[in-house]
Amino acid sequence: MPTFEYAPAPESRAVVDIRNSYGLFVGGEFVDAEGGTAFKTVNPATEEVLAEVAEAGEADVDAAVRAARNAYTRVWSRMSGADRGKYLYRIARIIQERAREFAVLETLDNGKPIRESRDVDVPLVAAHFFYHAGWADKLEYASLGADPRPVGVVGQVIPWNFPLLMLAWKVAPALACGNTVVLKPAETTPLTALLFAEVCQQADLPPGVVNIVTGAGATGQAIVDHPGIDKLAFTGSTAVGKMIARSIAGTRKKATLELGGKAANIVFDDAAIDQAVEGIVDGIFFNQGHVCCAGSRILVQESIAEELDHRLKRRLGTLRVGDPLDKNTDVGAINSRTQLERIEEMVKVGEAEGAERWDSGCDLPVDGFWFRPTVFSNVSQSHRIAQEEIFGPVVSVLTFRTPGEAVAKANNTPYGLSAGIWTEKGSRILWMADQLRAGVVWANTFNKFDPTSPFGGYKESGYGREGGRHGLEAYVKTGAGE
Ligand code: TAP
């Protein structure tokens, strides 16, 4: 099908001022790492080195935990909820004021289209801080239990797919409840967290309330193992989540784990089919499919499978893959070479298993890390591409005949993070939502996020909830406890 030609509409990167090198943010200041080691962060769309970032070792993590403890004991846990709320409102407003800067920086460091960082990530980040600012002085009315009090110093480790948004999901509730934090962003996407550190300075947040230590897995492990951490909040892969659960077993540390997913997006024969196609596109090609709750398995009722296949592929032919800073771009760059290799490997596995591979055939830029929107059909339940997370722009299509079969297939995965249902029938939506073992079920939509709504998984997708009133629970202790 012919597609419209667009003139390029690149967002200017002049709005961001990236330093050559960054230190760690500890006790309200940027400091050098003790060992003096650093790593580079690159723009995945061009492979250009954006900056050098300090790598925190155990001594740096220890300094950050001590700064957080100091701030907790002396200032933050003693402050009234209303006063804590004022800081959170201030942070939210500064993020809104600097929204364009954050969006461009996120797109440069992560590879996601500017359309998404500008219209989804950054507005949701501000919304999370506004929402939790509102809770700060109302915790005793949140049905959390008697006398809700902060837990203490919280260690937070986040992934690269929504770098600033995952920071907001972690930092906003922790601070609202009176905790202080030591956060590690992912190695490939540290820059917006470091810009957030500047926002903390601009908001005059008391030093040590937020500490940001950059580094790779070993830095994350040092946070997990530090005896001064009272609670851990982790988002990332199920494999690392399991390691963390093992590391803290037998300690007094509390933890919430937000892990992987393999969501079913279920399309019934009475669904508005073009809307369902848009929902599928949003479900798996949003953020290059680097989404834990991505609708990576389409379950389509057999009678409309052929029509859906035709319409979906026609639609995918119109997706624009390329320069993430171009406002016309639908699908940006894969976040890293490592992730691209993982996707390529899983696609080879799918072909070897006998599934039928199709891709949109679009041109790809020469430099950087790219993958075409890809559809696998003739997939069966036992295929690895139907069971394992690919975390890229690749979707597997399976069919079903009855609602019962759809439920059985949707639930047949080690994960349980999200699911989608497309049907005109309200009673079927309610019945399905009741049967599906998924933390979030969307009906006639997909990938909708809101700070007021709890998010989290069942089974190997982890435990604990983030967002909404439920998300506060992990950040308080109640009753007569110590
Ligand atoms: P991971 O390798 O698990 O990395 C997540 C974070 O943990 C990163 O900051 C990582 O550091 C750090 N880390 C790695 N090894 C660690 C260790 N031994 N101890 C402590 N921290 C450690 O995941 P990823 O490949 O970056 O992200 C993709 C995965 O995250 C997918 O499976 C996806 O489903 C999942 N995810 C889940 C959600 C939710 S909400 N459930 C959201 C986003 C992503 P480095 O990156 O610097 O190595």
Side-chain angles (χ1 to χ4, degrees), residues 131-206:
Y131 174 74
H132 287 96
W135 271 125
D137 62 348
K138 301 176 195 69
L139 294 173
E140 59 267 46
Y141 309 110
S143 306
L144 299 169
D147 187 22
R149 302 175 311 284
V151 176
V153 175
V154 182
Q156 306 185 320
V157 179
I158 57 173
W160 45 261
N161 57 344
F162 292 94
L164 188 65
L165 185 58
M166 289 300 108
L167 175 150
W169 280 26
K170 301 266 180 291
V171 171
L175 265 49
C177 294
N179 306 281
T180 57
V181 309
V182 176
L183 176 134
K184 188 195 90 68
E187 186 184 7
T188 58
T189 53
L191 295 185
T192 46
L194 294 165
L195 187 58
F196 178 80
E198 287 179 26
V199 169
C200 293
Q201 289 178 323
Q202 196 182 338
D204 277 332
L205 190 71

Side-chain angles (χ1 to χ4, degrees), residues 157-162 166 169 184-188 215-222 224 234-238 240-241 243-244 258-261 291-292 339 342 389 391 417 455 461 466:
V157 179
I158 57 173
W160 45 261
N161 57 344
F162 292 94
M166 289 300 108
W169 280 26
K184 188 195 90 68
E187 186 184 7
T188 58
T219 308
Q221 187 73 51
V224 171
F234 171 78
T235 297
S237 60
T238 296
V240 174
M243 280 167 53
I244 292 177
E258 300 279 358
L259 311 175
V291 184
C292 48
Q339 187 59 24
R342 263 186 227 157
E389 197 174 35
F391 224 57
L417 194 54
F455 183 91
S461 292
E466 292 190 307

Side-chain angles (χ1 to χ4, degrees), residues 284-285 288-290 331 334 343 371-375 391-395:
I284 183 66
F285 301 108
Q288 297 72 246
H290 300 329
V331 180
I334 300 302
I343 297 168
F371 203 80
R372 291 192 182 94
T374 297
V375 179
F391 224 57
V394 181
V395 69

